[in-house]
Amino acid sequence: MSTRRVVVELGGRVLADTVRAVRVCETSHPPVYYVPREDVADDVLEEARGGSWCEWKGEATYWDAVVDGRRVPAVGWSYEDPSPGFEQLRGAVAFYPGRVDRATVDGELVRPQAGGFYGGWITDEVVGPFKGDAGTSGW
């Protein structure tokens, strides 16, 4: 668990604010912060269509954000029933920083990982190269 303050904003509203995120690092990716569901604003997320499968974490559920009648598709994902060893992620929501208006870690504006699939959070302390740019899917 990270004690850093993670804040996610959309449409002038705070979607998530926590100092209890789970920071996950994977090979060739910047970290992703999973926010406990209790630290996500009430009534802003609706389950989205589709899903995906992670060979380590299991089946991902995607979430749309609805703020003031505006729907933003697939702003985040979660593992509602994660694979053994990843139970700490159960129900926590990871947000794509490129699909929200603003995401910060301890007040530093996050830069999104390149590409449409990956949801890594790039800050000044995180150094690449990272997957996501053209030609990087094979490593």
Side-chain angles (χ1 to χ4, degrees), residues 56-102:
W56 296 283
K57 295 181 289 289
E59 183 179 357
T61 299
Y62 287 84
W63 299 94
D64 293 347
V66 181
V67 175
D68 295 330
R70 173 182 164 215
R71 178 177 297 274
V72 179
V75 297
W77 72 96
S78 64
Y79 295 95
E80 298 302 297
D81 188 22
S83 299
F86 293 91
E87 293 87 358
Q88 193 174 16
L89 299 181
R90 187 177 311 280
V93 179
F95 292 89
Y96 288 96
R99 297 181 187 177
V100 296
D101 294 337
R102 182 175 163 87

Side-chain angles (χ1 to χ4, degrees), residues 12 18 44 46 48 55 61 76 78 82 129-130:
T18 191
V44 295
E46 293 183 7
E55 61 188 294
T61 299
S78 64
F130 305 118

